Amino acid sequence: MIASVIVDVPSRQTDRPFDYKVPAEMRAWIETGSRVGVPFGGRVVQGFVVAVSEQTEMDPKRLKAIAELLDPTPPLRADLIELAEWISRKYVCTWTAALQAMIPGALKGKAERSVRFGAAALKALSPESAPQMRPTSGSLAAAAHGTDDASGSDVRYGHEAAAAEAGAGAESRNRGTADTYGAGVRHEHEAAAAKAVAGAETAAGTIARASDAAEPEGTDAAEPGLAAGSASGAGASGASEAGVSADMRGAFAALPSELVRELLRHGSIRLAALQERYPHAGDAVKSALRQGLLEEQTAIRDRLSVRKVLAVYPPPDRPAAEEALAALPKRAGKQREVLAFALDLEEPLPLQALLAETGASAGSVRALADKGMLDVREIKQERDPYAGREFVRTEPLPLTPGQQEVFERVAAAVDAESPQTFLLHGVTGSGKTEVYMQSIQHCLEQGKQAIVLVPEISLTPQMVERFKGRFGDMVAVLHSRLSNGERYDEWRKIRERRVEVAIGARSAVFAPFERIGLIVIDEEHESSYKQEETPKYHARDVAVRRAKQHGAVVVLGSATPSLETYAAAVRSAGPDGRPASLLPLPERVGARPMPPVAVVDMRQELKGGNRSMFSRALHEGLAARLERGEQSVLLLNRRGYSTFVMCRSCGYTATCPHCDITLTYHQRTRALRCHYCGHAEMAPRLCPSCGSEHIRYFGAGTQRVEEELAKLFPGIRVIRMDVDTTTEKGSHEKWLKLFGERKADVLLGTQMVAKGLDFPYVTLVGVIAADTSLGLPDFRAGERTFQLLTQVAGRAGRHHLPGEVVVQTYTPEHYAIQTAQQHDYETFVQDELKHRRMMGYPPFCRLILVTMSHEQLPLLSSVSERFAARLRELAALSGVLGSVQGPGQRAMELLGPVASPISRMKDRYRFQCMIKYRGNIDASGLIREALASFTEGAPKGQVQFSVDVDPHMIL
């Protein structure tokens, strides 16, 4: 049996399947999606099985065997393996990078080196009863049913299993040694293995005594502890001194006796632990390695495992337990209390919880367990991020006629089991979430599962509460604010079929469901659905591909859809002439009006003598809300205190020494920070260039707005939400809960306050500077401005109180601001499409951005030119080189190379090439071919290439 394995080596040279032999004992367990440890380049690395067959093009005698099976159940399904291959082709990344994006961080195993007894030692110690070196399929079955520990479900050699069994007492739970080998697959003849270890201990004593006779006094091997330990053994059966050379005895005698005991007891020891505990034994260990007494091994260890805790079980024999309770002396009061408490248990209770309830000590429980009155065992404990939270159960709400029509079309598509993609274009407050939830309920009733993607920034406690309240424990939540352990346990719920709905950010699209019926992507226009690190996939495109695999339906929801999505939906004509995949919801629920938007020209404010960052209209609106006890939301999409620091005497500007970008001033720490590389330095009191005292802080960030609010409105309660205030776990939820409880008057923040929030007493929304993103060198700048203004405006007047919006700008004439003022998406689309068609940008073509970087500018310039020339050559050979605005059906043009808008970042100069193409062209394949001569076999330190297909940021 042959397994094709993608190894976890992030290199284009190894980006292909490698064939490995499957050992006989693993054949029943290895399948597509299995995670394995395989020998590769003199080490053991993690890999994924992508295919299994009986044939190979290689010489079978030259094939290496799989070393470890890391999971009894494959973490990836076959459809995800196929999806990963598609991602690697489309987004020009390695197959292993795509696979790694699909598994939780806990399973991103790392190689761990350890030392164990070698074959020579085993032969010398116990030649008659040394366990076999291969486990059997029976032992694999035992492991699968006996443990679900993700860190230790690897195939272990027989003598390690025996040693682990022999040392399975309290010491095996010691962190330092338990991590050495984990709870791996054990030899099926465990009794024989344990007997072998007992014989090995005796043999060790025999060799130690023989060495003691040959070596001078004082050697470590002659310590009484080891001799005493061996005297209690069952004799030196099969552990003869014959055949043990003097060199071997000497090497064995030089090893610290504690190390020998540890190896006998636990089978192996991690190399790092060996160096830490026995720092002076280096020469002895090296000698033993040379003699074959010890050998090194490499195994894959996961970063996290299933959490297990001690638990007290209800007494299995209640009458006997009651008699034992009556027989306990009165002076054993705590033991009596614990046993009485245990008699009332209906299910296992974690030991810590029992101790907290009874006030007893662990010693009291141990005493009862030693007497056989209590059963204390390990149980799995879920790391539930919502443990202890009660979610009020909600029922489906009556739908409006518009909502009902949308729901019926989605439900019919789910029933048809034919892949289809819908765009649900609904204004803010139109009830899109309720349509999502009722569609999901219909999907579950058909025996299918659902995935809901929301932007990370919108995955608020409110959103989680809505879905948990409707679907209860059938929901798993996946997002970055969870710990690694919590994310891993939520992922396990999905894989083990304990939930039917997954809600999460971008990566939740890879939830390992078996029968997906519906994938919902809320706020589909959000740029956070595009991953900025390799693999640079877009969750929307991946969702559509996955829906094709499962015959599922994709619903893309937004009040301001991306132009690419909207254009595709409008082009799809149905039988009635209407767009087949466009689902409109043009009105708010309850016919509530959209809030009026006032646009304030800050140039006129300045002419009128108002030098404040707040216009008169916004100032009056805030004062009125404070007086009426209502709430306000203020948006400034720029964190920090000031945008940049400049000397008014000589014009010096504080810039990052590692990036070509100005530093941002943070008031609380009085530090200048780079938001790209993290560089920080103290703010200067004098100009570093001319020594002047006239250092000034220009621009305004959220910190400065917070300070100004406190000056203008003494006693105002402000909650500031930006990256600086929401880094701690739970802080996001804490601030929103306080605001929801009306313990703050103003919620001030960056774009994280613009989406997903629904507070009944918010009646004013203020946008401090609507021009923030308009000046960026990005063809989507106008679209992003319109989307942000529309989204934040939708936070006002969502309930019984009417709302209003004040937008401050220096460019009130811009069409993005004017159309946002009227809530007019269609007019904005028409204006924006004119500009896109004129300049040749999506949706009239597709884009790929190739960024190159290096520390040396001349080398970078030379390599960039050669790459561009090679790509143009390949395009010409394919007959597609030409302008995308030309008459042909298929065209591809290359712009650049030129310096990137941020031309240096993290001490690396940056150049970029922009590729535009339209028609049926395999542009990714051409780029991959062009890259081959620059990346294959390239030494470390050469130019780095980054390929971004359908980029959302071109900085």
Side-chain angles (χ1 to χ4, degrees):
M1 182 175 176
I2 307 298
S4 296
V5 177
I6 291 290
V7 294
D8 185 15
V9 178
S11 169
R12 295 190 188 275
Q13 294 95 300
T14 59
D15 188 26
R16 61 181 179 84
F18 290 86
D19 286 351
Y20 286 88
K21 286 188 295 188
V22 178
E25 65 272 12
M26 296 186 194
R27 290 187 177 181
W29 298 86
I30 296 288
E31 57 184 293
T32 300
S34 291
R35 195 167 58 107
V36 294
V38 294
F40 190 85
R43 55 194 172 126
V44 175
V45 300
Q46 178 176 274
F48 287 92
V49 177
V50 297
V52 176
S53 68
E54 297 296 332
Q55 304 294 327
T56 178
E57 296 179 359
M58 299 285 294
D59 180 0
K61 296 179 181 179
R62 296 182 58 192
L63 293 183
K64 297 178 182 178
I66 292 175
E68 299 179 276
L69 172 62
L70 300 178
D71 311 277
T73 303
L76 295 179
R77 293 173 41 80
D79 64 303
L80 288 174
I81 296 293
E82 187 274 331
L83 184 66
E85 184 183 16
W86 176 83
I87 289 174
S88 72
R89 292 197 311 268
K90 178 178 175 62
Y91 294 103
V92 196
C93 66
T94 60
W95 199 345
T96 186
L99 290 166
Q100 289 292 325
M102 297 179 173
I103 60 174
L107 294 185
K108 293 177 181 177
K110 58 181 180 179
E112 189 174 87
R113 296 169 65 196
S114 58
V115 171
R116 63 178 182 180
F117 279 128
L122 292 175
K123 182 178 180 181
L125 290 173
S126 185
E128 294 181 358
S129 56
Q132 295 181 6
M133 296 295 287
R134 286 285 182 189
T136 66
S137 58
S139 65
L140 284 158
H145 293 93
T147 178
D148 194 19
D149 188 329
S151 70
S153 54
D154 55 290
V155 178
R156 188 186 310 153
Y157 289 103
H159 71 281
E160 287 187 69
E165 185 69 16
E171 287 186 27
S172 69
R173 290 190 295 270
N174 181 282
R175 182 68 180 170
T177 55
D179 285 352
T180 302
Y181 49 84
V185 177
R186 299 174 188 261
H187 196 279
E188 63 180 344
H189 304 296
E190 290 183 340
K195 183 178 178 181
V197 171
E201 289 180 347
T202 304
T206 303
I207 294 178
R209 287 193 296 274
S211 302
D212 186 35
E215 298 290 333
E217 289 187 44
T219 57
D220 287 337
E223 285 184 24
L226 183 58
S230 54
S232 62
S237 58
S240 170
E241 294 177 50
V244 180
S245 69
D247 288 343
M248 186 179 293
R249 288 199 301 272
F252 196 97
L255 292 174
S257 57
E258 288 299 323
L259 172 58
V260 174
R261 287 196 196 93
E262 191 165 340
L263 289 172
L264 286 169
R265 199 161 185 79
H266 301 299
S268 65
I269 179 172
R270 289 180 298 118
L271 190 58
L274 173 63
Q275 293 167 347
E276 180 182 347
R277 292 181 209 155
Y278 308 100
H280 304 299
D283 290 338
V285 171
K286 291 176 184 176
S287 176
L289 287 168
R290 286 193 298 269
Q291 294 291 331
L293 283 171
L294 299 179
E295 66 181 19
E296 284 188 72
Q297 66 168 354
T298 305
I300 305 299
R301 296 289 173 256
D302 293 336
R303 300 177 189 274
L304 283 173
S305 64
V306 175
R307 175 185 284 177
K308 294 182 180 179
V309 297
L310 289 175
V312 176
Y313 280 69
D317 188 345
R318 187 178 179 85
E322 289 173 345
E323 290 180 12
L325 176 61
L328 281 172
K330 291 185 178 180
R331 65 177 181 274
K334 283 298 179 185
Q335 293 185 30
R336 293 173 62 89
E337 188 176 345
V338 168
L339 188 53
F341 189 89
L343 283 167
D344 293 332
L345 293 177
E346 296 182 358
E347 58 185 20
L349 181 69
L351 176 60
Q352 291 301 319
L354 181 141
L355 298 180
E357 289 283 346
T358 61
S361 66
S364 300
V365 176
R366 191 182 305 115
L368 291 170
D370 290 343
K371 297 172 186 175
M373 299 179 185
L374 277 186
D375 186 10
V376 181
R377 284 179 273 159
E378 281 188 337
I379 61 169
K380 298 179 194 174
Q381 185 180 61
E382 296 284 353
R383 288 162 284 214
D384 186 352
Y386 302 100
R389 290 270 304 276
E390 292 188 7
F391 296 95
V392 179
R393 191 75 179 184
T394 63
E395 296 297 327
L397 300 174
L399 299 177
T400 65
Q403 287 176 313
Q404 184 66 35
E405 181 180 353
V406 169
F407 166 73
E408 288 175 357
R409 290 185 65 183
V410 173
V414 171
D415 293 343
E417 296 190 359
S418 177
Q420 191 167 351
T421 301
F422 291 106
L423 170 59
L424 175 51
H425 182 202
V427 299
T428 56
S430 59
K432 295 187 291 293
T433 304
E434 184 63 30
V435 174
Y436 298 156
M437 291 195 289
Q438 295 201 23
S439 300
I440 291 169
Q441 182 62 49
H442 179 81
C443 177
L444 300 184
E445 290 169 357
Q446 310 307 308
K448 302 175 184 176
Q449 296 128 348
I451 297 173
V452 182
L453 302 186
V454 297
E456 186 77 55
I457 209 167
S458 299
L459 193 54
T460 62
Q462 283 185 326
M463 180 70 77
V464 173
E465 191 169 341
R466 286 175 184 171
F467 281 86
K468 286 277 191 179
R470 184 67 59 87
F471 301 108
D473 292 337
M474 287 194 297
V475 178
V477 182
L478 301 164
H479 61 81
S480 66
R481 289 190 294 275
L482 302 181
S483 69
N484 283 335
E486 289 168 340
R487 278 201 299 271
Y488 174 53
D489 285 352
E490 292 292 293
W491 177 85
R492 284 178 53 245
K493 289 180 185 177
I494 299 170
R495 190 189 65 175
E496 295 170 5
R497 308 175 194 172
R498 290 184 278 148
V499 296
E500 302 295 330
V501 180
I503 177 171
R506 176 177 63 230
S507 61
V509 73
F510 301 121
F513 282 130
E514 292 184 349
R515 194 161 180 249
I516 300 172
L518 178 64
I519 302 177
V520 174
I521 303 183
D522 191 31
E523 309 289 4
E524 70 83 27
H525 64 276
E526 265 294 319
S527 60
S528 63
Y529 286 126
K530 182 70 165 66
Q531 177 147 304
E532 296 302 325
E533 303 84 30
T534 302
K536 297 185 177 184
Y537 66 89
H538 197 299
R540 178 188 59 214
D541 297 336
V542 173
V544 172
R545 178 72 182 189
R546 198 154 190 218
K548 288 181 179 178
Q549 292 177 311
H550 289 257
V553 174
V554 177
V555 176
L556 309 172
S558 177
T560 55
S562 67
L563 261 67
E564 294 91 328
T565 301
Y566 186 76
V570 169
R571 283 197 299 264
S572 60
D576 56 359
R578 294 188 302 171
S581 58
L582 183 61
L583 306 175
L585 279 178
E587 296 180 354
R588 281 186 161 186
V589 173
R592 297 188 186 96
M594 298 297 290
V597 179
V599 175
V600 179
D601 187 343
M602 295 302 286
R603 298 172 297 187
Q604 298 301 319
E605 290 286 314
L606 187 60
K607 289 180 182 178
N610 180 15
R611 295 181 176 275
S612 167
M613 67 175 64
F614 300 108
S615 63
R616 284 183 285 261
L618 185 54
H619 187 283
E620 291 168 3
L622 287 168
R625 268 65 188 182
L626 288 172
E627 185 177 342
R628 296 201 296 259
E630 296 170 2
Q631 293 176 300
S632 306
V633 171
L634 295 181
L635 169 73
L636 176 61
N637 202 21
R638 184 190 297 137
R639 63 191 176 104
Y641 185 86
S642 292
T643 317
F644 65 97
V645 178
M646 190 176 79
C647 173
R648 298 184 69 178
S649 296
C650 69
Y652 163 83
T653 301
T655 58
C656 176
H658 310 290
C659 311
D660 281 343
I661 200 76
T662 56
L663 296 173
T664 301
Y665 177 61
H666 289 251
Q667 171 77 354
R668 290 187 180 177
T669 58
R670 295 193 60 80
L672 300 174
R673 293 186 180 277
C674 175
H675 291 169
Y676 287 88
C677 73
H679 170 79
E681 59 186 60
M682 294 306 297
R685 295 182 181 276
L686 301 176
C687 174
S689 179
C690 71
S692 169
E693 296 180 354
H694 299 295
I695 291 286
R696 293 292 180 267
Y697 304 102
F698 291 87
T702 49
Q703 290 183 16
R704 188 171 179 186
V705 175
E706 182 181 22
E707 185 179 280
E708 288 296 313
L709 284 170
K711 290 179 182 177
L712 292 171
F713 304 100
I716 191 172
R717 300 170 300 170
V718 179
I719 289 176
R720 177 165 63 89
M721 285 186 64
D722 54 30
V723 174
D724 298 323
T725 64
T726 56
T727 52
E728 292 183 7
K729 185 179 179 182
S731 56
H732 197 270
E733 182 174 359
K734 178 183 71 174
W735 298 131
L736 292 179
K737 183 179 179 183
L738 288 172
F739 192 68
E741 293 171 351
R742 303 180 69 186
K743 294 180 180 178
D745 305 306
V746 175
L747 179 63
L748 163 68
T750 54
Q751 61 175 332
M752 63 177 64
V753 304
K755 305 173 180 69
L757 305 182
D758 189 357
F759 296 108
Y761 290 94
V762 171
T763 59
L764 174 66
V765 169
V767 181
I768 305 297
D771 320 280
T772 305
S773 59
L774 275 178
L776 292 176
D778 188 344
F779 72 91
R780 288 192 177 93
E783 181 181 9
R784 288 204 173 102
T785 299
F786 176 85
Q787 290 169 343
L788 190 61
L789 294 180
T790 302
Q791 292 290 335
V792 73
R795 301 311 106 202
R798 295 174 68 92
H799 292 269
H800 58 288
L801 296 173
E804 69 170 312
V805 182
V806 177
V807 175
Q808 300 181 168
T809 176
Y810 287 92
T811 54
E813 67 281 358
H814 197 284
Y815 65 90
I817 293 175
Q818 289 183 345
T819 51
Q821 181 182 16
Q822 303 301 323
H823 306 284
D824 189 353
Y825 178 79
E826 280 73 20
T827 301
F828 166 76
V829 168
Q830 292 173 12
D831 289 342
E832 182 69 11
L833 286 179
K834 290 177 186 176
H835 291 85
R836 300 279 183 94
R837 183 181 287 108
M838 185 185 307
M839 301 303 295
Y841 280 115
F844 301 103
C845 71
R846 302 285 295 273
L847 299 180
I848 299 179
L849 182 70
V850 179
T851 301
M852 296 142 283
S853 66
H854 196 269
E855 295 90 347
Q856 298 177 21
L857 185 57
L859 176 62
L860 174 63
S861 177
S862 172
V863 172
S864 300
E865 291 288 352
R866 287 192 287 118
F867 166 75
R870 175 59 177 157
L871 184 56
R872 287 190 178 96
E873 178 187 353
L874 291 172
L877 290 173
S878 301
V880 297
L881 185 64
S883 172
V884 295
Q885 294 174 287
Q889 294 293 319
R890 300 166 69 237
M892 174 175 164
E893 66 176 300
L894 190 151
L895 307 178
V898 296
S900 300
I902 299 178
S903 59
R904 190 168 62 101
M905 190 182 296
K906 299 180 182 178
D907 289 323
R908 298 181 68 89
Y909 293 97
R910 305 169 74 241
F911 274 32
Q912 64 183 27
C913 291
M914 179 71 78
I915 294 95
K916 294 182 177 182
Y917 68 100
R918 60 180 171 80
N920 186 20
I921 298 174
D922 183 13
S924 296
L926 291 174
I927 291 173
R928 185 185 291 272
E929 187 176 350
L931 285 173
S933 58
F934 295 92
T935 56
E936 290 183 3
K940 192 173 182 180
Q942 281 289 15
V943 172
Q944 291 182 1
F945 287 82
S946 172
V947 180
D948 193 354
V949 178
D950 300 325
H952 272 236
M953 294 292 292
I954 59 172
L955 298 179

